Every structure is written in structure tokens, then in C-alpha cells.
Amino acid sequence: QVQLVESGGGLVQPGGSLRLTCTATGTMFNINVLGWYRQAPGKEREFVADISSGGRTNYADSLKGRFDISRDSAKNTVYLQRNDLKPDGTAGYYCNAKHPDLSGWGVTSDWGGKPESWGRGTQVTVSS
């Protein structure tokens, strides 16, 4: 079964840099789409960015230019980077993996037929 584990969160000073890592384990397949979401205190979880196995990236319109997403497909690892962090970057950051629908193929998958998987999240606090 696919599992996602995030790392790199913690206390970051304003103006500092952030580099989050998420590694997916439990499958030998190249995961279709890996991405990041975040949830600030008192707010709904929001999309940040994702990247396909072919390297195509998508960013939330409100966050374009603020984050950079990349991946190492061979390792099913995705990264999220941001420079010049601001206090509004404080949030829980969650790794997300989207999976293809294999229900019509008569095969089993490493993700239990689920359309997506989530990590438990890593907290990022931007404060001096």
C-alpha cells in the first residue's frame, strides 16, 4: 500500500527558505501526480502545487511565483521549495498522490483502488 511521509517542516524564520520532502513508498509504479496542499489555522485545506510523472507542473493561481515544486520520479519523491518565507506561510503542509483508475482493468493496485493518498502532514511555522 502506498504511504506518503513528509519531512522538512518546523520553525523557520521570516525571510528564510523552506524545503519540504515527501517520499512515497509501497509501490514500484511511478506515481502519476504528486503534489502539496496546505492548511492554515482556521482555514480550509488549499491546493499549492502538483507535478506529474512527466514533469508538468501546476500551481495555485494565488501562489504562483511563491513556491517551486519538483520531483524525482525514480524515487517517487516530491519537493516543495520557497524562498523569502513570510508569516503567512505558516500552515500544515500535506503531501498528496493521485492514482489512475484501474477498476476496469481487472488488476489490483498498490493503493487499494483509492483515487488518491495523503500524508499525515508536516507543520511549518514562520516566526522569529
Side-chain angles (χ1 to χ4, degrees):
Q1 293 291 324
V2 173
Q3 292 184 316
L4 307 178
V5 179
E6 304 98 334
S7 63
L11 180 63
V12 183
Q13 295 184 350
S17 298
L18 174 71
R19 181 177 173 85
L20 302 180
T21 300
C22 171
T23 299
T25 61
T27 181
M28 296 181 64
F29 293 99
N30 192 322
I31 293 177
N32 186 31
V33 177
L34 289 166
W36 291 93
Y37 291 69
R38 71 175 184 178
Q39 186 169 14
K43 297 184 178 180
E44 296 292 317
R45 187 174 300 185
E46 65 175 343
F47 171 76
V48 177
D50 63 27
I51 183 169
S52 72
S53 60
R56 185 179 180 87
T57 60
N58 291 298
Y59 294 90
D61 289 340
S62 62
L63 300 175
K64 286 184 177 180
R66 300 170 64 181
F67 290 92
D68 184 31
I69 190 169
S70 60
R71 69 181 288 170
D72 183 344
S73 294
K75 298 180 179 180
N76 276 331
T77 297
V78 63
Y79 307 93
L80 185 70
Q81 299 181 114
R82 182 183 178 181
N83 296 324
D84 193 23
L85 275 168
K86 300 296 190 295
D88 63 2
T90 296
Y93 287 77
Y94 298 85
C95 184
N96 172 266
K98 290 184 169 56
H99 311 297
D101 183 5
L102 303 180
S103 61
W105 292 82
V107 298
T108 58
S109 70
D110 295 324
W111 48 90
K114 297 179 180 179
E116 61 183 359
S117 300
W118 290 94
R120 292 185 176 182
T122 183
Q123 178 66 38
V124 175
T125 301
V126 184
S127 176
S128 60

